[in-house]
Amino acid sequence: MSLKNRLSDDMKAAMKGGDKERLGVIRLLQAAIKQREVDERIELDDAAVLAVLEKAVKQRKDSVSQFEAAGREDLAAQERFELGVIEAY
């Protein structure tokens, strides 16, 4: 099963399960993947999807460190949750 299909299946499961936080993260990931496909006019394979996910992980890690430095633990906790969901893939 490709990563894109797995994301789609997990999105459906999150919808059915009512897991709004996880659903939001998966939708953000799918939007980033779709944006790259539209920009480059190609269908992304698993390696390219993984590159998009790695970029999202790096962004979340940077955000966590900045939020912690600013004393915004609530926002840092949200970013850590998103990081956990992304790293599952």
Side-chain angles (χ1 to χ4, degrees):
M1 174 183 286
S2 74
L3 279 174
K4 284 173 44 175
N5 290 340
R6 187 170 162 210
L7 277 167
S8 235
D9 292 345
D10 288 350
M11 184 178 79
K12 291 173 190 171
M15 278 188 216
K16 289 179 183 175
D19 190 353
K20 292 181 192 267
E21 292 84 15
R22 185 173 177 81
L23 178 62
V25 175
I26 293 171
R27 282 184 172 159
L28 285 173
L29 294 175
Q30 285 188 320
I33 292 167
K34 187 68 174 172
Q35 182 65 47
R36 181 143 177 227
E37 286 180 338
V38 168
D39 288 348
E40 298 179 11
R41 293 188 171 99
I42 58 169
E43 181 78 21
L44 296 182
D45 60 353
D46 277 351
V49 170
L50 198 56
V52 172
L53 296 180
E54 288 171 354
K55 182 178 177 184
V57 165
K58 184 180 181 304
Q59 289 173 340
R60 297 312 184 280
K61 286 181 179 178
D62 289 345
S63 295
V64 166
S65 64
Q66 290 177 1
F67 286 142
E68 286 175 346
R72 294 296 309 265
E73 188 57 39
D74 55 332
L75 295 175
Q78 175 64 28
E79 292 292 320
R80 280 193 291 274
F81 172 78
E82 291 180 10
L83 187 60
V85 171
I86 297 168
E87 287 179 337
Y89 297 101

